Amino acid sequence: MSGTRPRTGSRTRSRSRTAVLAMAAAGAVALSGCGSGTQTVGTAPPKQKDPFEQRAEQIVRDWPKVSPVSGRKDTMLPLTGADRPRNTAVRELTVTVGHGACDAKYGVHTHESKDLVVVAGWSKKKNQNGMCTSQLVTDKVEITLKSPLDDRELVDAATGKQLLKG
């Protein structure tokens, strides 16, 4: 054996320095977008739109060429009617909701746009440990709009039909 050893120390230091510089450059590139004006910080993830909101936005976009939804959905029940208000300057309207006789809760969704007020009934079923018949019950529900009805149309989200014209 000869007394010469390969010089691994300087090659190792060179490789380590190259790796550190590469990681630093990659980190700088990754961090370059941080703090830009387009970023926001929130405490909750964005809320996903429920089926009623999606349907209401579709009706507003496609009105008056709207088809009814298929099948019965407890989140979007058709309304059986709406009472004509005394005048169109009102914000309170009464609609008739059809729901099951054994439903624990029921109500009305509303979505307002410049030209339309889209509404639909909803219901929550009871825990059916006992027997329950499939009867349709109707109840009147008063809704309060954010702004007066004026000349907007009241549209049923489930059927796509006009219930009232302001």
Side-chain angles (χ1 to χ4, degrees):
M1 289 211 184
S2 69
T4 62
R5 291 178 100 168
R7 294 176 48 186
T8 57
S10 65
R11 265 192 275 168
T12 303
R13 277 191 297 262
S14 177
R15 285 185 185 156
S16 295
R17 192 175 319 132
T18 303
V20 168
L21 288 173
M23 288 192 308
V29 168
L31 293 174
S32 66
C34 290
S36 68
T38 60
Q39 292 181 326
T40 58
V41 176
T43 57
K47 183 180 172 190
Q48 193 162 10
K49 293 180 181 165
D50 64 24
F52 170 75
E53 279 299 317
Q54 291 174 4
R55 171 69 173 167
E57 287 178 358
Q58 182 246 333
I59 289 172
V60 169
R61 188 177 51 249
D62 298 343
W63 185 256
K65 296 182 182 189
V66 181
S67 299
V69 293
S70 60
R72 182 183 189 272
K73 296 173 177 42
D74 291 337
T75 59
M76 202 171 358
L77 300 173
L79 299 179
T80 60
D83 294 350
R84 179 157 302 283
R86 283 179 259 193
N87 64 57
T88 59
V90 300
R91 290 181 46 216
E92 291 77 25
L93 297 172
T94 303
V95 296
T96 305
V97 180
H99 59 90
C102 294
D103 289 342
K105 295 180 183 179
Y106 61 91
V108 177
H109 299 288
T110 60
H111 176 92
E112 297 182 47
S113 74
K114 181 179 136 257
D115 298 320
L116 301 174
V117 176
V118 182
V119 292
W122 61 266
S123 68
K124 298 274 184 191
K125 301 237 181 273
K126 275 187 198 178
N127 182 1
Q128 294 187 7
N129 289 336
M131 188 174 183
C132 185
T133 59
S134 298
Q135 294 173 309
L136 177 68
V137 178
T138 60
D139 284 293
K140 293 195 179 265
V141 176
E142 189 169 292
I143 57 174
T144 302
L145 304 176
K146 294 176 186 171
S147 59
L149 180 61
D150 290 334
D151 61 347
R152 297 186 291 174
E153 296 177 61
L154 185 69
V155 178
D156 185 328
T159 64
K161 293 181 180 178
Q162 176 184 315
L163 295 170
L164 287 175
K165 176 143 176 77

